[in-house]
Amino acid sequence: MKRVVIIGAGNVGFHLGVELAGKGYRIEQVFSRNSSKAEQLANRLEAKAIDRFEDLVLTADLYVIAVKDDALVEVSKQVSLGKKIVVHTSGTVPMEVLKGCSEQIGVFYPLQTFSGNEPMSFEQVPLCVEGNSKQLEDELFQLARSLSKQPFRISSEARKRIHLAAVFACNFTNHMYAISNELLSEENLDVSILSPLIEKTTEKILKGEVPKKVQTGPAAREDIQILQQHEARLKEKPTWQKIYRLVSQSIIELKKT
Amino acid sequence: MKRVVIIGAGNVGFHLGVELAGKGYRIEQVFSRNSSKAEQLANRLEAKAIDRFEDLVLTADLYVIAVKDDALVEVSKQVSLGKKIVVHTSGTVPMEVLKGCSEQIGVFYPLQTFSGNEPMSFEQVPLCVEGNSKQLEDELFQLARSLSKQPFRISSEARKRIHLAAVFACNFTNHMYAISNELLSEENLDVSILSPLIEKTTEKILKGEVPKKVQTGPAAREDIQILQQHEARLKEKPTWQKIYRLVSQSIIELKKT
């Protein structure tokens, strides 16, 4: 698996392409409908830029489809590569979306958000692989292991669960920061005053503490008086008030399990 | 304000005492009802341990009551110090709880969680001060500034709001990690697989990004299909399902403001 074609020149395509090229893989082509984006990435990877699916070569070993989730179905319909290995990089889309593309299909999903054009090491990026045969999955696992210290075999089903878990741990966490920031802005403060607390909270989890065991705050203490005061304080923000009540209830429930 | 008495030998008392002593303040006494805890901290601070309020000296300039919130009312009733400066260190209790203690009362609230017995620098700890006179507040502000780069004048009202904001940014964030971890445990994984994502999410906020502007995920994209799939997946966890729905709704609402 030494010759690679990258389909999609967005953030994932860029970072995966740079990483593979840096590890000695030969990138043959970069496809993007946007020919200038294809050119730009292809130049960087010493590959050929293409903007039509008919121009895909059949000489590569691995075809990586790194396009947005909602474009994946459409792109899959355009790609037909016989027995070549075709993978997508999505956290949410089942492997089977690729079944018309090839006899050998799989997933190569990096569990990281990529942004900007600064190359980043994949060493600490969890890479989740899946293949439609044991042999292919083994090959993808080897590839993952050659890039990262954290390769995982993850079924489409488990990948969906990871994505859901990531929504809680990242998207919802960010929204908690957002509510916090809005509340503080009414006192002409912002969330930066909480930086040391935020840092500590996250640090504990990154160090491997079990989150429910390090839960603190009024709900964990079942301090009903404070809970009621806080809810009253949120009376003009009904959605946040409901979130306050529900998350507090959930903290109390989880303590009891 | 060079001579200090610390009332309470818990985490805050310990860390504040060690910090003040290290900065050249003279700790005269350490009070704790638990005489061995009083001894232990007093020894460390070269102070005298006491376990009865009658033994409080009147020679100090500043009396710091660093006891748990729910003990503060009770302790306040026991302390009567004429015109001496008396402060508490709570994030939630109004300054007025101290009004029977002295004519000069205030708050000295470090916005950080303290744990363990390893001394830590206060340099980056936001210190929130309040005094019942302009002059006292100025003095407390100077004290805060001598310990930390982040001194703030914060009214009791604003302090309550900061505490509420901290519940969202820290306690609720931790619970999001907890739910995430529980979901992953069903696949024999744990939240550590999300470490790079969690780190990135928090890093953005610590670097000063405005949380609502960097919101990502299915709710931010209003990707109804994924939102429905995720809710369905949570059907056996009704509280988490409600949290999912409500936080997603809140993300969409906040985007529109």
Side-chain angles (χ1 to χ4, degrees):
Chain A
M1 241 202 284
K2 277 286 162 194
R3 299 155 83 91
V4 180
V5 168
I6 307 274
I7 298 171
N11 280 326
V12 177
F14 173 85
H15 286 281
L16 199 53
V18 170
E19 172 72 15
L20 288 166
K23 286 274 156 83
Y25 294 84
R26 162 97 190 274
I27 313 297
E28 300 218 324
Q29 294 180 319
V30 172
F31 169 92
S32 173
R33 283 191 208 279
N34 177 330
S35 56
S36 80
K37 282 183 80 177
E39 289 280 351
Q40 207 181 341
L41 182 54
N43 286 343
R44 167 124 197 187
L45 303 177
E46 299 179 20
K48 194 171 179 310
I50 58 169
D51 59 4
R52 301 186 319 165
F53 288 108
E54 307 89 279
D55 297 334
L56 281 172
V57 288
L58 287 168
T59 50
D61 310 302
L62 172 67
Y63 295 76
V64 179
I65 308 184
V67 299
K68 284 199 170 39
D69 287 4
D70 48 12
L72 205 41
V73 172
E74 202 42 46
V75 169
S76 302
K77 285 183 192 154
Q78 313 277 333
V79 172
S80 178
L81 294 159
K83 293 181 181 178
K84 295 292 179 178
I85 300 171
V86 182
V87 299
H88 73 61
T89 60
S90 162
T92 52
V93 180
M95 176 173 70
E96 278 66 38
V97 73
L98 302 176
K99 65 177 183 289
C101 300
S102 163
E103 284 171 33
Q104 295 201 78
I105 58 174
V107 177
F108 196 86
Y109 168 48
L111 242 170
Q112 177 60 296
T113 46
F114 297 102
S115 57
N117 271 6
E118 252 178 64
M120 49 169 289
S121 163
F122 271 54
E123 211 177 299
Q124 301 302 332
V125 176
L127 294 175
C128 305
V129 305
E130 182 182 10
N132 70 339
S133 71
K134 169 84 171 66
Q135 193 203 328
L136 174 57
E137 196 164 288
D138 287 347
E139 279 186 68
L140 292 171
F141 189 80
Q142 291 309 323
L143 173 64
R145 197 154 68 177
S146 73
L147 307 182
S148 164
K149 286 183 179 162
Q150 297 201 67
F152 294 91
R153 295 169 194 271
I154 302 283
S155 68
S156 288
E157 207 35 43
R159 200 154 28 84
K160 280 187 186 168
R161 174 150 309 237
I162 291 173
H163 183 241
L164 174 58
V167 169
F168 278 95
C170 302
N171 304 151
F172 285 5
T173 285
N174 187 75
H175 189 58
M176 297 300 122
Y177 298 147
I179 294 174
S180 189
N181 195 55
E182 299 296 314
L183 289 170
L184 289 166
S185 71
E186 289 172 32
E187 302 287 344
N188 293 313
L189 295 165
D190 68 50
V191 74
S192 70
I193 198 175
L194 298 175
S195 290
L197 283 176
I198 289 172
E199 209 166 348
K200 258 288 191 349
T201 303
T202 299
E203 198 181 270
K204 283 186 208 160
I205 305 312
L206 295 176
K207 278 187 179 162
E209 299 271 13
V210 177
K212 79 171 178 178
K213 291 192 180 158
V214 294
Q215 185 67 54
T216 56
R221 292 193 308 273
E222 298 192 52
D223 184 336
I224 305 298
Q225 213 187 328
I226 296 282
L227 294 175
Q228 283 172 350
Q229 280 175 25
H230 281 171
E231 279 191 35
R233 202 163 275 272
L234 290 165
K235 65 179 183 298
E236 277 157 35
K237 302 284 187 184
T239 306
W240 298 351
Q241 189 183 50
K242 280 186 216 150
I243 289 175
Y244 188 92
R245 191 176 303 149
L246 202 52
V247 176
S248 295
Q249 178 197 327
S250 183
I251 289 172
I252 296 170
E253 283 175 12
L254 187 61
K255 243 178 62 177
K256 288 172 180 158
T257 60
Chain B
M1 240 200 286
K2 274 288 159 193
R3 300 155 84 92
V4 180
V5 168
I6 307 274
I7 298 171
N11 281 327
V12 178
F14 173 85
H15 286 281
L16 199 53
V18 170
E19 173 73 12
L20 287 167
K23 285 275 157 83
Y25 293 84
R26 162 96 189 274
I27 314 297
E28 298 220 324
Q29 294 179 318
V30 172
F31 169 93
S32 172
R33 281 190 209 278
N34 178 329
S35 54
S36 79
K37 281 184 81 177
E39 290 280 353
Q40 209 181 339
L41 182 53
N43 287 343
R44 168 125 197 187
L45 303 176
E46 298 180 22
K48 194 170 179 311
I50 58 170
D51 60 4
R52 301 186 319 166
F53 288 109
E54 307 88 279
D55 297 333
L56 281 172
V57 288
L58 287 169
T59 49
D61 310 303
L62 172 67
Y63 295 76
V64 179
I65 308 184
V67 299
K68 284 199 169 41
D69 288 3
D70 48 13
L72 205 41
V73 173
E74 203 42 45
V75 168
S76 302
K77 286 183 192 156
Q78 313 277 332
V79 171
S80 178
L81 293 161
K83 292 181 182 178
K84 294 293 180 180
I85 301 170
V86 182
V87 299
H88 74 60
T89 59
S90 162
T92 54
V93 180
M95 176 173 69
E96 278 67 36
V97 72
L98 301 177
K99 66 177 181 290
C101 299
S102 163
E103 284 171 33
Q104 294 201 79
I105 57 174
V107 177
F108 197 86
Y109 168 48
L111 244 171
Q112 176 60 296
T113 45
F114 297 101
S115 58
N117 272 6
E118 252 179 65
M120 50 170 287
S121 163
F122 272 54
E123 211 178 300
Q124 300 302 332
V125 177
L127 295 175
C128 304
V129 305
E130 181 182 10
N132 70 340
S133 71
K134 168 83 173 66
Q135 193 202 329
L136 174 57
E137 196 165 286
D138 287 347
E139 278 186 67
L140 293 170
F141 190 79
Q142 291 308 323
L143 174 64
R145 196 154 68 177
S146 74
L147 307 181
S148 165
K149 286 183 178 161
Q150 296 201 65
F152 293 92
R153 295 170 194 271
I154 301 284
S155 69
S156 288
E157 208 32 45
R159 199 155 28 84
K160 280 187 186 167
R161 173 146 316 230
I162 291 173
H163 183 241
L164 174 58
V167 168
F168 278 95
C170 301
N171 304 151
F172 286 5
T173 285
N174 187 74
H175 188 59
M176 297 302 122
Y177 297 146
I179 294 174
S180 188
N181 195 56
E182 299 297 312
L183 290 169
L184 290 165
S185 72
E186 288 169 35
E187 300 289 343
N188 293 315
L189 295 166
D190 67 50
V191 73
S192 69
I193 198 175
L194 299 175
S195 289
L197 283 177
I198 288 173
E199 209 166 347
K200 261 285 192 351
T201 303
T202 299
E203 199 180 271
K204 282 186 210 161
I205 305 311
L206 295 176
K207 279 187 180 161
E209 298 272 13
V210 177
K212 80 171 180 179
K213 291 193 179 157
V214 295
Q215 185 66 54
T216 56
R221 291 194 308 274
E222 297 191 54
D223 185 334
I224 306 299
Q225 212 186 328
I226 297 282
L227 293 175
Q228 282 171 350
Q229 280 175 26
H230 281 171
E231 279 191 35
R233 200 164 277 272
L234 289 165
K235 65 179 184 297
E236 277 157 35
K237 302 284 186 183
T239 306
W240 299 350
Q241 189 183 48
K242 279 185 216 153
I243 290 174
Y244 188 92
R245 191 176 304 149
L246 202 53
V247 177
S248 295
Q249 178 197 326
S250 184
I251 289 171
I252 296 170
E253 283 174 11
L254 187 61
K255 243 178 61 178
K256 288 173 179 158
T257 61

